[in-house]
Amino acid sequence: MQIRIEDLSKIYSPGLPYETKALDHVSFTVEAGEFIGIIGHTGSGKTTLVQSIAGLLEPSDGRIVSVHADGTETVISQKGKESALVRRKVGIVFQYPEYQLFEETVMKDVCFGPKNQGLSLEEQKERARAALDLVGIDADDKGEVSPFELSGGQKRRVAIAGVLAMRPEVLILDEPTAGLDPKGHDDILEMIRRIRQEMDMSIILVSHNMDDVAEYADRVLVMNHGKMVFLGTPKEVYCEHEEALRAIGLDIPSCPSFLWQLKNRGMDVDDNKLEFEETAQEIIRAVKSRWQ
Amino acid sequence: MAVRDITLGQYFPGESCIHRLDPRVKIVCTFVYLISLFVVKSFSAFLLCILFLGTVIALSKIPFKFISKGLKPVIFLIILTMVINLFFVSTGDVLAKLGPITITKDGIYRALFMGLRLVLLIFGSSLMTLTTKPIELTDGMEKLLSPLAKIGLPAHELAMMMTIALRFIPTLLDETDKIMKAQTARGADFENGSIKEKAKALIPLLVPLFVSAFRIAGDLAMAMEARCYHGGSGRTRMHQMKLGKGDAVAIAVTVIYLALVILSRQLPLL
Amino acid sequence: MASDPMIQLKDVRFAYEQGEDDTPQAAEFAIDGVSFNIEKGSFVAIVGSNGSGKSTLAKHMNALLLPTSGEVLVDDLNTVTESQTQPWEIRKRVGMVFQNPDNQLVSSVVEDDVAFGPENIGIEPSEIRRRVDESLQMVGMYEHRKKGPHLLSGGQKQRIAIAGVIAMDPECVVFDEPTAMLDPKGRREIMSIIRKLHSQGRTVVLITHFMEEAAEADRIIIMEHGKVHADGTPAQIFSRDDLGVLALPFAVKMAKRLRQSGIDVPADIVTDEQLADFLCSKEQG
């Protein structure tokens, strides 16, 4: 499923003194199966954007259209049964999703989404098992345990499974690694990569971590003051718009950032590198040429 | 009606002489004013109250429209009180009879009287909260109640509870909004269905909300302990409340006002 | 080494839940026999993955938790005996900043919140005023002093929390994962305040799982399963190859890679700055 965001705007408290323009005419397309990373400051409109795509906020202007495999289109940013049905194909994992767990057992919690979709008990359980399997939780071992007894990292996986069990075609994750230690962080990202491959879905990842976005995303979307300022491959965005990103006050991934530091100190290096090994090669080349 | 439409208990930022009064003076004067409303016996004496309130409103520079919004959430209560008085006062000249209900002249009089009293009561108390920051009110309360600590009233603890409640209301509202959205995204429906279904639909909201509230409480208790909190004993305050000239004038005016209201009971003319 | 310890931990053990007969099994100890001193004026980072016991250990440094066995001395005061009468004597020496910026602010007005600590230890009103203004200026939040915390960003709230601690004028500040819930901008702000506090001569203990942050300390202690796994300068720590799941800072990884290709990067280079300086100053191999 492809999603087209058309000229989307969102204004909070219109007409009041504290009126804020959270989204300002944003347009782009999420291709089927694509991995998009969204970066920007707190308050840049990232969260408003993804919540609008998930149908949780009504846009003030513009619309969101989903294009199905057969070419037919549905406007999902409006009320009505058909929109609501298609919207279900967009799943969203909130920041700190473990804070939304509420059921007595892990199994029941993961079944909550499928239950609301009106599936039979059998189907609910089957989906829950598959989802728990995807996030690496053993349903036989943990299924009947209270979610509140799990460790922090496990809780988060269960919460993500709760969204996966609804079988979305587009999965939005808002800072899924916030507050985790380095191992928990890597585990979650690897899990997302695996889910994407196995379930063949589009991923929209909101993140503060530039290295993650550079490594995992096909395209990067940069938000600032409610506007989309850049959209392109990680290399295009990070290497060609480096100065502009710095001016906004955003981080640059470690590799180009370090090369840029070297360049600023007068070393003759090419800072258009994103990967660790190619960066190392470039530094070695530059340093060795200085020696001669 | 959205939550933000309620003006009762809300602060209206300003720099007027009423805003600047000591919170203790405002609490005491408001209290006196509220008592005066129950001392009043006749409509004509209400003129005194209206004059007093009107003067204060004018001085506070808060638009009357804004103050009158405070009636919105309690309008039902006022109408109910008026209707009860209208229907159940059975003394005086009978004006109409509808089955078991009689409407009398006294009934109409009482209904209007009670209605006016309630309106003045709400205007008076919302004027206090509109011109005083909640945190100042809390501090004022603590100071006023502190002599009662000797007879076992936990004045400091009550004020601390209010301070913390004020601090965390916005946090918990944000949290509620977030959890509702997250559960909606999982197909929860908070709007449709029978009352029983609606109540059931609240579980996915209430459980996480309680868990959050307990987590906040635990974290906060530890943070307060780390910052050397050990109850009210030996505690000093940064803001020292000092009574100024304005406060003296306010107290004098209020005392004269109360005297006039009490006198009005003796004078048949008023 | 001549030492003037701020905090001394002596064979500290701690169990959250004690068994029926009050003798917990070894496996239940969140802290399991930890001994080390933190010198006055030093900047120590304590690193470890979730569940390594690092936060539990931090809470022993200001008597929020008391050891099940062993002892903790803060400025030569024993936390166990002091807690029975006046634990605030310890807590005004060792202030603490927690992870969640939202859940440690008490008042709905910024300056009142900063005043909370000094008020609790009975400081004179005029002196509280002075300290509040000074600490708000130090963290760069003075112009927000009349605002409500709910209108501020996470990083700003964390700065208020730090101001609230500085206003008590502690000799030592323990930061318990202060940046874990912040965005990169907030993280940078907090780290620069931590550096500033250290340069003022205060003892700083930073609990973190970000190695980039730990690299700025004088000394790194690595915790694993409630025990001290490694203890040394950043250069010593990063040269070890038994750090397991802990991610090395970019500069350390790059330095290792460059050494493989014959660029002789000294072992004490642990930050991007240092590595860039070294590579650019190097004229001859």
Side-chain angles (χ1 to χ4, degrees):
Chain A
M1 188 169 86
Q2 183 200 55
I3 291 196
R4 217 162 60 220
I5 287 92
E6 297 178 352
D7 205 27
L8 197 69
S9 292
K10 175 72 186 174
I11 298 166
Y12 288 114
S13 326
L16 290 172
Y18 37 95
E19 168 178 318
T20 39
K21 212 168 204 180
L23 283 182
D24 196 356
H25 301 286
V26 173
S27 303
F28 66 97
T29 303
V30 185
E31 301 297 339
E34 190 181 23
F35 193 136
I36 286 198
I38 300 184
I39 58 174
H41 284 304
T42 312
S44 60
K46 306 177 298 222
T47 298
T48 307
L49 176 60
V50 294
Q51 290 188 355
S52 302
I53 297 175
L56 298 169
L57 292 171
E58 218 176 312
S60 309
D61 201 11
R63 55 182 205 159
I64 300 166
V65 182
S66 82
V67 185
H68 309 277
D70 58 5
T72 54
E73 298 190 352
T74 316
V75 178
I76 54 176
S77 58
Q78 64 182 22
K79 292 205 169 107
K81 261 196 175 151
E82 209 202 328
S83 303
L85 276 176
V86 179
R87 236 178 359 237
R88 279 183 178 174
K89 294 185 178 160
V90 183
I92 181 166
V93 176
F94 275 66
Q95 236 183 82
Y96 299 100
E98 59 273 26
Y99 294 163
Q100 284 115 41
L101 298 172
F102 70 98
E103 273 288 10
E104 294 154 57
T105 67
V106 166
M107 198 64 182
K108 275 189 184 170
D109 210 290
V110 180
C111 284
F112 182 65
K115 192 173 90 190
N116 289 327
Q117 286 177 316
L119 297 175
S120 74
L121 195 64
E122 283 301 301
E123 283 173 293
Q124 289 172 29
K125 288 206 162 159
E126 191 200 307
R127 290 226 183 159
R129 277 178 175 278
L132 283 169
D133 190 47
L134 268 175
V135 299
I137 298 252
D138 183 358
D140 292 321
D141 185 30
K142 301 280 185 211
E144 297 309 312
V145 172
S146 160
F148 298 103
E149 281 171 24
L150 303 177
S151 75
Q154 287 174 327
K155 275 187 201 162
R156 187 162 297 185
R157 285 156 181 275
V158 169
I160 295 175
V163 175
L164 289 177
M166 298 176 78
R167 300 261 163 95
E169 290 180 29
V170 177
L171 179 66
I172 300 170
L173 300 121
D174 193 352
E175 301 255 10
T177 62
L180 296 178
D181 65 11
K183 176 155 191 315
H185 173 107
D186 293 350
D187 288 351
I188 292 278
L189 283 170
E190 276 311 311
M191 183 189 94
I192 294 170
R193 201 201 301 256
R194 202 172 61 234
I195 290 168
R196 180 195 183 198
Q197 280 164 359
E198 284 182 29
M199 292 187 70
D200 189 31
M201 53 169 92
S202 328
I203 305 270
I204 301 176
L205 173 76
V206 177
S207 179
H208 286 311
N209 191 316
M210 301 302 154
D211 285 326
D212 292 349
V213 173
E215 187 176 344
Y216 290 91
D218 301 324
R219 283 197 296 166
V220 185
L221 190 160
V222 186
M223 292 291 297
N224 196 33
H225 296 308
K227 289 194 169 102
M228 184 179 90
V229 281
F230 299 115
L231 176 65
T233 64
K235 204 151 194 168
E236 282 164 8
V237 170
Y238 290 124
C239 299
E240 288 165 30
H241 302 291
E242 217 176 311
E243 299 287 335
L245 287 180
R246 275 176 207 278
I248 298 173
L250 288 172
D251 275 357
I252 306 293
S254 311
C255 291
S257 170
F258 184 65
L259 289 169
W260 187 79
Q261 274 192 47
L262 291 178
K263 203 171 164 184
N264 262 10
R265 280 162 216 240
M267 190 179 272
D268 180 28
V269 286
D270 171 14
D271 58 354
N272 290 346
K273 307 282 179 218
L274 265 185
E275 281 168 22
F276 186 81
E277 187 49 38
E278 60 174 4
T279 305
Q281 295 293 346
E282 177 61 18
I283 295 173
I284 294 161
R285 185 199 58 73
V287 169
K288 291 204 165 149
S289 75
R290 256 174 107 108
W291 287 2
Q292 279 139 27
Chain B
M1 187 177 64
V3 182
R4 69 171 71 94
D5 288 340
I6 300 173
T7 54
L8 205 66
Q10 201 184 317
Y11 175 65
F12 188 92
E15 285 290 318
S16 74
C17 58
I18 304 294
H19 281 87
R20 284 198 304 265
L21 286 179
D22 188 292
R24 289 170 295 176
V25 171
K26 274 190 268 193
I27 294 171
V28 170
C29 292
T30 307
F31 200 58
V32 169
Y33 166 80
L34 296 183
I35 292 172
S36 79
L37 292 177
F38 291 89
V39 171
V40 164
K41 268 198 320 194
S42 63
F43 270 111
S44 44
F46 264 142
L47 285 177
L48 266 175
C49 307
I50 294 171
L51 182 71
F52 180 74
L53 183 72
T55 314
V56 178
I57 291 177
L59 286 173
S60 75
K61 293 185 182 143
I62 295 176
F64 183 72
K65 244 188 175 170
F66 197 83
I67 302 175
S68 60
K69 269 203 234 155
L71 285 179
K72 239 188 185 174
V74 284
I75 195 91
F76 175 73
L77 195 73
I78 296 173
I79 291 172
L80 187 74
T81 315
M82 289 177 74
V83 168
I84 288 173
N85 275 286
L86 189 64
F87 289 168
F88 294 97
V89 172
S90 51
T91 56
D93 302 344
V94 176
L95 294 177
K97 217 174 161 108
L98 300 157
I101 298 163
T102 50
I103 292 178
T104 66
K105 216 174 168 185
D106 279 11
I108 293 179
Y109 181 84
R110 291 282 298 167
L112 290 176
F113 192 82
M114 294 302 275
L116 184 60
R117 176 181 280 169
L118 276 175
V119 170
L120 288 173
L121 191 121
I122 286 157
F123 277 4
S125 40
S126 45
L127 196 59
M128 175 176 78
T129 53
L130 283 169
T131 59
T132 321
K133 283 184 196 146
I135 199 87
E136 282 177 0
L137 268 186
T138 312
D139 285 355
M141 287 284 235
E142 183 180 2
K143 269 276 157 59
L144 282 173
L145 293 178
S146 59
L148 297 179
K150 287 195 188 82
I151 58 160
L153 186 89
H156 165 75
E157 283 74 9
L158 285 173
M160 199 55 174
M161 274 165 58
M162 275 174 66
T163 307
I164 292 172
L166 286 171
R167 158 73 185 87
F168 283 96
I169 286 168
T171 310
L172 285 174
L173 285 178
D174 282 354
E175 194 72 26
T176 309
D177 179 61
K178 205 175 119 183
I179 298 168
M180 272 182 97
K181 275 193 192 141
Q183 307 297 32
T184 308
R186 289 170 75 191
D189 185 354
F190 295 105
E191 277 155 20
N192 304 312
S194 65
I195 292 181
K196 202 183 152 200
E197 281 166 344
K198 270 188 184 169
K200 245 185 129 182
L202 281 180
I203 296 174
L205 170 65
L206 291 180
V207 173
L209 198 57
F210 273 102
V211 173
S212 281
F214 281 118
R215 194 183 56 242
I216 292 175
D219 284 3
L220 185 69
M222 185 159 275
M224 285 170 70
E225 238 186 287
R227 290 167 76 184
C228 300
Y229 182 71
H230 53 281
S233 69
R235 203 160 183 263
T236 49
R237 299 307 304 271
M238 176 170 73
H239 296 295
Q240 293 296 296
M241 289 184 209
K242 270 196 216 111
L243 297 180
K245 261 189 222 152
D247 298 307
V249 173
I251 289 172
V253 170
T254 309
V255 168
I256 294 170
Y257 159 76
L258 184 65
L260 284 175
V261 171
I262 293 172
L263 270 179
S264 76
R265 288 168 69 104
Q266 318 296 325
L267 301 173
L269 262 182
L270 267 172
Chain C
M1 191 168 79
S3 65
D4 189 5
M6 180 73 229
I7 295 165
Q8 303 172 58
L9 302 163
K10 295 180 179 171
D11 197 25
V12 174
R13 283 195 164 76
F14 179 80
Y16 274 102
E17 274 169 53
Q18 306 206 335
E20 298 256 299
D21 48 356
D22 266 357
T23 51
Q25 302 293 305
E28 293 170 27
F29 284 113
I31 303 288
D32 194 5
V34 168
S35 303
F36 61 80
N37 289 357
I38 288 173
E39 309 306 325
K40 279 192 178 165
S42 62
F43 179 0
V44 179
I46 300 180
V47 186
S49 52
N50 286 347
S52 62
K54 59 189 194 303
S55 277
T56 308
L57 188 65
K59 292 187 179 85
H60 279 79
M61 297 182 183
N62 64 348
L64 283 177
L65 292 176
L66 299 173
T68 309
S69 74
E71 59 182 24
V72 180
L73 303 182
V74 173
D75 218 3
D76 293 326
L77 298 171
N78 186 305
T79 56
V80 175
T81 50
E82 213 64 27
S83 283
Q84 285 156 4
T85 50
Q86 38 190 9
W88 53 91
E89 279 304 321
I90 297 203
R91 293 177 192 146
K92 71 185 193 196
R93 288 174 168 80
V94 181
M96 191 157 194
V97 177
F98 296 85
Q99 186 186 74
N100 190 323
D102 242 309
N103 302 355
Q104 53 183 318
L105 303 183
V106 183
S107 175
S108 43
V109 180
V110 163
E111 62 172 13
D112 290 2
D113 188 85
V114 177
F116 181 74
E119 285 176 341
N120 287 333
I121 47 179
I123 310 272
E124 283 297 305
S126 57
E127 170 68 7
I128 299 182
R129 180 81 255 173
R130 193 189 65 75
R131 287 191 184 186
V132 166
D133 291 349
E134 203 181 271
S135 18
L136 280 172
Q137 270 154 357
M138 151 145 192
V139 300
M141 289 296 290
Y142 185 69
E143 62 274 37
H144 298 286
R145 65 193 181 281
K146 301 280 184 196
K147 279 198 186 156
H150 65 282
L151 300 172
L152 304 174
S153 73
Q156 288 176 320
K157 277 185 260 199
Q158 200 63 302
R159 277 147 75 186
I160 301 301
I162 297 177
V165 169
I166 304 171
M168 293 197 291
D169 196 20
E171 279 180 71
C172 173
V173 185
V174 178
F175 291 86
D176 189 2
E177 297 192 39
T179 63
M181 297 178 78
L182 306 182
D183 64 5
K185 188 160 163 271
R187 213 168 265 176
R188 282 195 297 267
E189 287 165 2
I190 299 306
M191 282 312 290
S192 89
I193 294 173
I194 291 178
R195 279 191 290 271
K196 209 154 139 190
L197 278 176
H198 177 229
S199 70
Q200 287 175 345
R202 283 184 225 263
T203 314
V204 172
V205 179
L206 172 65
I207 316 290
T208 182
H209 45 230
F210 296 110
M211 280 295 199
E212 276 82 2
E213 292 177 0
E216 300 198 23
D218 310 330
R219 173 181 171 200
I220 298 178
I221 293 171
I222 303 219
M223 293 286 297
E224 214 179 270
H225 305 305
K227 291 187 164 83
V228 174
H229 174 68
D231 183 348
T233 63
Q236 287 167 343
I237 295 290
F238 295 141
S239 61
R240 295 172 69 119
D241 44 20
D242 59 347
L243 295 178
V245 296
L246 296 166
L248 289 176
F250 173 81
V252 174
K253 277 191 287 188
M254 186 53 77
K256 278 190 178 171
R257 174 67 190 78
L258 295 181
R259 271 180 221 120
Q260 285 169 13
S261 294
I263 299 176
D264 198 16
V265 186
D268 61 348
I269 283 182
V270 291
T271 67
D272 284 12
E273 288 265 288
Q274 293 166 346
L275 184 59
D277 282 342
F278 167 77
L279 292 174
C280 294
S281 67
K282 195 174 166 77
E283 293 295 335
Q284 286 294 304

